[in-house]
Amino acid sequence: MDGKSLFITFEGIDGTGKSTQVAILAERLRAFGFACVETREPGGTVVAEKIRELLKSIRAIRWSAEVEILLLTAARRDHVDQIIVPALKSGKIVICDRYLDSTRIYQGLSDSKIRAVIEDIHERIIGISPDLTFILDLSPCLALERIRGRGIDDRYFESYGDKIELLRQGFLDLAREHPERCLVVDASLPAAEIADIVYGEARKRCE
Ligand code: TMP
């Protein structure tokens, strides 16, 4: 089906089920004939996946927000050039697990000067913003329970400590700042229920 191109992102703290919802949404849209590209950040291209590995490997050390922003921007620019823009130009729906809002929150939350740098870099070097963003909202307690349930190393999550609640609130604030594109979804609901809400909203934007 030839559709209107659409750029959808999923955001939220770790453990909210974003990756699951990306996969379900893509599958449901494809079943109705929409061409979809599923992707993620940091990552999505060979170079950006290398940068993802680098960022993940240094998690225990934690570089400065500035260094992380530069690495994330390099990864994002490559991702935008090679995957996101070509897919949108050919009328596809791009569904991305994390994007700029994650940088705004993870790197920029606690420092308004850094947040301004993120906005500036985005405007000058990246340029493209999502049409629709699902913010999956969950209490840090439940999120941590899910991460542990998946057998994933939770040291990084735990290293944020009390900051996780601030990150969560940061995402909710972003949703209030950008009501035209952001929809907050209660991530404590069963996955199938979340998928229905997400699919309904996405379809409205595909018409
Ligand atoms: P995830 O893809 O498994 O959620 O892991 C990505 C991690 O990278 C997650 O902890 C959030 C973090 N991240 C940032 O800190 N800034 C960013 O801009 C992005 C896209 C991710």
Side-chain angles (χ1 to χ4, degrees):
M1 186 188 292
D2 271 344
K4 169 172 110 160
S5 66
L6 194 65
F7 182 18
I8 301 174
T9 57
F10 282 78
E11 299 280 4
I13 59 172
D14 293 309
T16 51
K18 293 180 300 302
S19 314
T20 305
Q21 292 301 329
V22 166
I24 298 175
L25 179 61
E27 196 184 309
R28 288 182 78 170
L29 287 169
R30 283 191 193 113
F32 279 89
F34 292 96
C36 291
V37 172
E38 277 167 77
T39 189
R40 69 174 180 181
E41 287 216 348
T45 67
V46 174
V47 167
E49 289 291 334
K50 290 274 174 214
I51 294 175
R52 179 189 180 88
E53 272 172 39
L54 188 61
L55 281 162
K56 288 215 162 192
S57 69
I58 52 93
R59 275 176 162 186
I61 302 166
R62 280 277 173 82
W63 288 348
S64 68
E66 288 87 343
V67 171
E68 289 188 357
I69 289 164
L70 292 171
L71 287 168
L72 286 159
T73 303
R76 183 161 302 142
R77 177 62 198 245
D78 194 52
H79 189 208
V80 163
D81 285 349
Q82 294 204 42
I83 305 291
I84 299 176
V85 166
L88 294 174
K89 278 192 174 158
S90 62
K92 291 181 181 156
I93 298 174
V94 174
I95 308 173
C96 191
D97 187 342
R98 296 194 183 281
Y99 189 67
L100 172 66
D101 292 326
S102 282
T103 319
R104 286 178 167 137
I105 299 305
Y106 285 89
Q107 279 69 42
L109 185 67
S110 52
D111 188 328
S112 59
K113 280 192 191 145
I114 288 189
R115 177 73 187 270
V117 168
I118 292 168
E119 301 299 339
D120 196 36
I121 289 179
H122 181 71
E123 205 174 299
R124 289 166 192 267
I125 294 179
I126 306 295
I128 183 161
S129 295
D131 303 300
L132 175 60
T133 298
F134 294 104
I135 297 196
L136 300 192
D137 179 55
L138 192 63
S139 77
C141 259
L142 277 176
L144 184 56
E145 230 172 73
R146 285 192 189 171
I147 287 173
R148 287 190 173 142
R150 293 195 310 231
I152 291 172
D153 182 357
D154 59 17
R155 268 176 310 174
Y156 187 61
F157 191 100
E158 287 199 319
S159 72
Y160 276 108
D162 295 343
K163 204 178 152 203
I164 293 285
E165 182 59 34
L166 294 177
L167 297 174
R168 176 194 188 191
Q169 292 304 324
F171 279 115
L172 294 175
D173 287 343
L174 268 184
R176 283 187 280 270
E177 273 173 49
H178 300 278
E180 72 296 342
R181 69 167 171 90
C182 290
L183 187 84
V184 177
V185 182
D186 178 357
S188 69
L189 293 170
E193 240 176 89
I194 297 173
D196 284 344
I197 296 169
V198 162
Y199 178 70
E201 281 302 318
R203 274 309 295 265
K204 278 191 219 161
R205 311 271 178 139
C206 298
E207 306 300 329

